[in-house]
Amino acid sequence: MPRCVSTVRDRCLELERIIAARARSGSLGLDDALKLFDELLIHARPASVVAFNQILNAVSQSELVVSLFNRMVRECSIKVAPNTCTYSILIGCLCRMGRLKHSFATFGLILKTGWRVNDIVINQLLKGLCDGKRVGEAMDVLLQRMPELGCTPDTVSYSILLKGFCNENRAEEALELLRMMANDHGRSCPPNVVTYTTVIDGLCKAQLFDRAEGVFQQMIDNGVKPNNDTYNCLIHGYLSIGKWKEVVQMLEKMSARGLKPDCYTYGSLLNYLCKNGRCREARFFF
């Protein structure tokens, strides 16, 4: 093997090791990611797609993902082809940017290649639709398109839809979807603590406390243990309408389950007490 070819290959392997190590440790910052990306473009080999994906994932909260993806395709397509993971990262970024049209176009590219889609990819589209106040379309994707594509919705899929319904103040539809999950015993995604807490939070924000308490009791009856987030939603909700007695009951229930108030719990309590001139009690909690 000519020395120059060997040197290029060795540098490529070294870059891939550096990127993998930095990605695992969570220390791949934006500036370093961009520098490593530039150099990897020069030395890349077909297997470098994994390293490219790690870089794209590291900067996935930035709109730079789109430009980096375009550079990868334009300057490196002969040596490196994007895979399902690459497109998944791109779809997630486009959804966060609110560019749903481009997200679905990218999804179409995945289908066109014949690759099998998974729930991770589709869940990003569901979240994008719900964030765009298009929860009805997200429901169609969940119940119709996912089964057609051989992709079974998971608990995350349903939780995204539930949050979408709650954000649009469509409590009845959220409760119906929750009942669908709980009653279909053949389904592989029963409601979990995140699912129940999402609905409880939405009901509390809509000040439907009787419904929220009903869902709270339902989760306990179904053997799902509430966590701090669950209690915090109820406590914050009760505080918003001045139901101090119910707040005390929730704190007692937390203690009975071996849970301790966290910073969010105390913050809500202090905020309520100080605004209502109960500074002595506030100092106690502080």
Side-chain angles (χ1 to χ4, degrees):
M1 181 182 296
R3 180 175 177 79
C4 61
V5 175
S6 177
T7 302
V8 170
R9 182 177 180 277
D10 290 345
R11 181 54 182 161
C12 181
L13 292 170
E14 182 183 5
L15 286 168
E16 290 172 3
R17 284 194 292 268
I18 292 170
I19 293 166
R22 297 286 297 277
R24 281 195 301 270
S25 66
S27 61
L28 189 56
L30 181 60
D31 290 341
D32 288 341
L34 295 177
K35 290 176 183 177
L36 289 166
F37 182 89
D38 288 339
E39 189 170 359
L40 188 61
L41 277 179
I42 300 170
H43 298 90
R45 61 194 181 113
S48 297
V49 66
V50 175
F52 278 119
N53 289 342
Q54 289 167 331
I55 291 174
L56 292 175
N57 194 53
V59 300
S60 60
Q61 299 302 314
S62 165
E63 296 183 12
L64 283 171
V65 169
V66 178
S67 61
L68 293 182
F69 174 84
N70 289 335
R71 284 185 61 198
M72 175 184 167
V73 172
R74 184 175 61 250
E75 301 175 31
C76 207
S77 59
I78 296 176
K79 295 184 287 184
V80 183
N83 60 16
T84 309
C85 182
T86 319
Y87 284 115
S88 176
I89 296 168
L90 179 62
I91 287 171
C93 180
L94 289 169
C95 285
R96 284 188 292 276
M97 293 165 62
R99 293 165 60 176
L100 284 173
K101 182 178 179 180
H102 295 91
S103 299
F104 277 94
T106 305
F107 181 67
L109 290 176
I110 296 178
L111 298 179
K112 190 175 181 180
T113 61
W115 289 329
R116 182 180 175 85
V117 295
N118 56 33
D119 51 0
I120 296 174
V121 174
I122 298 184
N123 285 346
Q124 294 180 116
L125 294 172
L126 291 176
K127 189 174 187 309
L129 287 169
C130 289
D131 289 344
K133 305 297 183 183
R134 294 163 62 178
V135 68
E137 294 173 61
M139 192 70 172
D140 289 338
V141 172
L142 180 86
L143 297 179
Q144 296 181 23
R145 288 293 288 155
M146 288 184 78
E148 288 173 3
L149 295 168
C151 185
T152 304
D154 60 7
T155 305
V156 175
S157 311
Y158 282 95
S159 295
I160 292 169
L161 265 292
L162 287 167
K163 185 171 178 59
F165 280 127
C166 290
N167 288 344
E168 292 191 25
N169 296 317
R170 295 163 68 172
E172 290 298 332
E173 289 162 284
L175 289 169
E176 181 58 34
L177 185 58
L178 183 65
R179 280 192 289 270
M180 183 191 300
M181 292 181 70
N183 294 334
D184 191 347
H185 301 294
R187 199 177 294 277
S188 60
C189 50
N192 61 14
V193 64
V194 175
T195 315
Y196 281 116
T197 301
T198 297
V199 176
I200 289 170
D201 184 46
L203 293 171
C204 286
K205 286 177 178 176
Q207 296 194 353
L208 299 172
F209 293 101
D210 288 344
R211 299 287 187 87
E213 289 170 359
V215 174
F216 180 73
Q217 188 59 51
Q218 179 186 333
M219 73 180 291
I220 293 173
D221 292 342
N222 289 336
V224 179
K225 296 180 180 179
N227 60 16
N228 271 42
D229 290 339
T230 314
Y231 284 104
N232 284 339
C233 291
L234 288 162
I235 289 170
H236 183 75
Y238 287 133
L239 289 172
S240 70
I241 56 172
K243 287 196 172 185
W244 182 252
K245 180 180 177 181
E246 285 78 0
V247 170
V248 173
Q249 290 175 348
M250 282 295 126
L251 291 170
E252 291 172 349
K253 287 180 180 180
M254 282 184 77
S255 179
R257 287 190 170 273
L259 297 173
K260 295 181 179 180
D262 56 22
C263 290
Y264 185 87
T265 319
Y266 283 120
S268 297
L269 293 169
L270 292 171
N271 182 57
Y272 170 80
L273 292 169
C274 289
K275 282 184 176 179
N276 287 275
R278 299 166 64 173
C279 296
R280 181 173 296 179
E281 290 172 273
R283 277 194 292 269
F284 167 78
F285 280 110
F286 182 77

